[in-house]
Amino acid sequence: MSSSAGSGHRSKEASLYVGNLPPNVTEAKLLEKFSKVGSVCSIRICRDKVTRRFLGYAYVNFRRMEDATRALETMNTQLIGGRTMRVMWPERVEAQPTPKPKQNKKKSAPADGSQDNPVGILLSGLNPEIRDKDLHGIFSSSGAIVECGVGLDDSGNSKGFGYVQFETEEAVEKCLERVKSWLGSTLTVTKLYANVHVFNFGYRLNFGSMREMFGQYGAITVYRVVKNIGKCNGFGYVTFKKLKSAAYAVAELNGKDLGEGLKLKVESAPCPISERLQSLKKDEGVNLYVKIMEPAVTDERLQELFSPFGPIISVKLLKGQSADGQRAGFVLFASSEDATRAIEEMHGKVVGTGPLEVKPAIVRKIKSTPAPKSPQKTVESQAKSAHDPKQSEEQKRALSDRLFLVVRQLNASMAGSITAKLLELDNLPQLMTQPVALKAKVDETVVALLLNREQHLERIESALAGSAAA
């Protein structure tokens, strides 16, 4: 719906984006405000096409360029309905626009900032004096800017974060390279996508509450709460129509206290976490063995403890408990990096009545070998050891513990995933007695893991494509 203030041609160059508007704003109120500056052609308050929900911004179109320029200079940061307006050009224009040749002209993004695959940067730790026009001036040298803004509270004060949406990913990469040279700066700049991953909400969010929490930041195209056999896995994803919405959601919801020790984790990501992760084979994830001094622990409890580190494919609590009340279970992560962080941060942490024991689960390989026709005594002794489950399990666990401690000294950041891979080696006991050979094998495993990570991402992308097609 638009409100007209006279007839005449509406020039695209005389259009202004007006953001951070209160929910009760009307076309009449905006017309009253901006007509004091110049002749207004029309006003359009933007709403969701499906729900008709107000999106928090509008476009004001002037008859003349000079009126729009004057409005930009005088109306930005003015109050309306208790909020400070953000007034800016809807797309990058020159102060004195000049005709441009039509040939070889790159197609520009829509005036509302929407793109098929929007990409940009998220800034935190901004100087409180920085505003939208400052961001544009600072980052426009990296490439064409579609939209940019600074998060403001209801009083018009900066919240310390902002975003810049570029037309191309090349511009984003150029910008990130440039930022690396800003030594000593307290500013944090990260890549921003319209999709966000949401972790560590336990069972506190469902399909409806997820949309309610994130929908306040703008139109959502896709959102999921990932479940496994009907149970919430404590993570999901949201894909916004606009990059601006993702920026606000990440900046304002990451770290949100959900109660009972849970803090929401919200991260920007290039693609959603597919629900197909649930169907990944066990050898495509990293399984952790967990001991916990909490007799009443449940699968849900383990889920809550470990979901902050990343997507979990499955959680399995073993039946029974030891005499001292200790329980054990397995947590299967989709990513080796997430599993490594879980080991480093959770091993030794006091939960319940004692410290957790967290380490890579032992990879069991069952090999069927024909019995020798004429067994010798030494062979019979080996067979007896192999068929003694208690002795075999204790030996493997002791070997796993010693290996993890050695590997952590060589490569602490990837100790968990390296250990899991080395445990698959048949000659591991001999390798443990050869420090030089073991270090060489660790280095070789690091290279293999980094290569496998790329293949893992490709599998997820393929799973996403299959899920979308279904």
Side-chain angles (χ1 to χ4, degrees):
M1 178 179 180
S2 63
S3 176
S4 178
S7 60
H9 175 66
R10 184 180 73 179
S11 172
K12 183 174 71 172
E13 286 77 20
S15 177
L16 289 178
Y17 165 90
V18 184
N20 198 39
L21 296 174
N24 60 348
V25 72
T26 62
E27 286 91 347
K29 184 66 177 178
L30 289 175
L31 177 62
E32 177 186 358
K33 196 87 171 174
F34 283 87
S35 60
K36 297 176 182 178
V37 180
S39 180
V40 177
C41 293
S42 63
I43 294 175
R44 178 167 65 91
I45 291 181
C46 298
R47 302 181 183 277
D48 187 277
K49 292 181 180 179
V50 178
T51 65
R52 304 305 300 163
R53 179 182 176 277
F54 176 53
L55 298 179
Y57 63 93
Y59 291 94
V60 179
N61 304 288
F62 289 88
R63 288 180 180 275
R64 300 181 301 174
M65 183 64 186
E66 50 266 37
D67 291 339
T69 302
R70 186 161 55 250
L72 177 66
E73 295 172 349
T74 60
M75 302 295 286
N76 189 35
T77 73
Q78 282 199 20
L79 290 176
I80 182 169
R83 291 193 177 186
T84 303
M85 291 188 296
R86 294 200 307 272
V87 182
M88 59 187 293
W89 299 117
E91 58 183 3
R92 188 183 182 191
V93 298
E94 302 295 335
Q96 297 294 332
T98 55
K100 296 181 181 179
K102 293 184 178 180
Q103 62 272 19
N104 298 325
K105 183 178 180 181
K106 183 186 295 184
K107 185 178 179 181
S108 60
D112 66 351
S114 62
Q115 289 176 296
D116 291 338
N117 296 294
V119 65
I121 58 171
L122 177 66
L123 307 103
S124 58
L126 276 179
N127 185 304
E129 301 301 320
I130 294 289
R131 289 296 182 267
D132 299 357
K133 61 182 180 180
D134 301 310
L135 287 183
H136 195 286
I138 294 170
F139 294 101
S140 59
S141 60
S142 297
I145 293 176
V146 177
E147 188 179 41
C148 63
V150 174
L152 303 175
D153 61 22
D154 292 341
S155 300
N157 299 316
S158 172
K159 293 183 178 181
F161 72 88
Y163 72 98
V164 180
Q165 179 179 345
F166 291 95
E167 284 189 0
T168 65
E169 191 158 1
E170 289 76 12
V172 175
E173 296 297 338
K174 182 179 179 181
C175 175
L176 293 175
E177 283 297 321
R178 180 186 171 202
V179 170
K180 289 180 181 178
S181 64
W182 296 356
L183 299 177
S185 173
T186 58
L187 186 68
T188 301
V189 183
T190 56
K191 205 166 187 178
L192 179 66
Y193 302 91
N195 185 79
V196 296
H197 290 181
V198 188
F199 305 111
N200 199 34
F201 52 80
Y203 299 89
R204 286 152 181 78
L205 290 183
N206 54 35
F207 194 72
S209 56
M210 171 79 86
R211 181 178 180 88
E212 181 180 354
M213 177 178 287
F214 286 86
Q216 61 181 311
Y217 297 101
I220 295 174
T221 58
V222 180
Y223 62 103
R224 292 285 186 275
V225 173
V226 180
K227 296 184 178 182
N228 184 22
I229 317 178
K231 292 184 178 180
C232 176
N233 272 5
F235 69 91
Y237 59 86
V238 178
T239 302
F240 289 98
K241 183 179 180 182
K242 294 186 63 179
L243 196 69
K244 170 187 174 182
S245 304
Y248 273 73
V250 172
E252 297 190 354
L253 291 180
N254 187 39
K256 178 180 175 64
D257 191 349
L258 299 179
E260 298 183 20
L262 286 182
K263 288 190 177 182
L264 199 64
K265 183 178 179 181
V266 183
E267 296 178 345
S268 179
C271 60
I273 302 171
S274 172
E275 293 182 15
R276 293 284 298 278
L277 281 175
Q278 300 172 43
S279 63
L280 288 175
K281 297 179 181 179
K282 289 189 176 182
D283 59 0
E284 292 179 301
V286 177
N287 208 11
L288 300 185
Y289 176 79
V290 180
K291 278 189 177 181
I292 178 172
M293 295 292 294
E294 191 172 301
V297 69
T298 61
D299 290 351
E300 291 78 8
R301 174 64 168 156
L302 284 183
Q303 181 83 45
E304 288 185 357
L305 286 172
F306 288 90
S307 60
F309 302 101
I312 294 174
I313 299 173
S314 66
V315 172
K316 177 64 176 178
L317 188 67
L318 300 179
K319 294 181 180 180
Q321 65 185 54
S322 61
D324 59 0
Q326 194 171 67
R327 299 291 302 274
F330 296 96
V331 179
L332 180 60
F333 280 92
S335 162
S336 60
E337 289 81 5
D338 295 338
T340 300
R341 288 204 311 271
I343 292 174
E344 292 173 349
E345 296 189 28
M346 297 299 286
H347 182 70
K349 181 178 180 179
V350 176
V351 175
T353 59
L356 285 176
E357 181 181 341
V358 185
K359 58 188 177 183
I362 296 173
V363 180
R364 296 180 180 178
K365 286 190 174 183
I366 302 176
K367 295 183 178 181
S368 57
T369 56
K373 294 181 180 179
S374 301
Q376 298 179 357
K377 187 175 181 180
T378 54
V379 176
E380 291 174 352
S381 299
Q382 294 173 356
K384 182 179 178 181
S385 175
H387 288 84
D388 185 344
K390 184 177 180 180
Q391 183 180 357
S392 177
E393 185 69 22
E394 289 177 352
Q395 290 174 345
K396 290 180 180 178
R397 189 160 298 165
L399 180 63
S400 173
D401 291 343
R402 287 190 288 111
L403 177 62
F404 179 75
L405 293 175
V406 173
V407 171
R408 187 168 60 180
Q409 294 178 351
L410 298 175
N411 191 317
S413 63
M414 298 178 66
S417 51
I418 295 172
T419 301
K421 287 295 182 183
L422 293 182
L423 285 171
E424 300 176 7
L425 299 176
D426 294 331
N427 66 334
L428 182 58
Q430 292 79 13
L431 193 63
M432 289 285 289
T433 63
Q434 304 170 19
V436 176
L438 178 61
K439 186 180 185 307
K441 194 64 180 179
V442 168
D443 294 338
E444 177 186 327
T445 304
V446 170
V447 175
L449 286 171
L450 293 176
L451 292 175
N452 287 338
R453 181 184 179 187
E454 297 300 322
Q455 297 173 359
H456 180 68
L457 292 176
E458 290 178 2
R459 286 198 298 270
I460 292 179
E461 291 175 358
S462 299
L464 286 172
S467 178

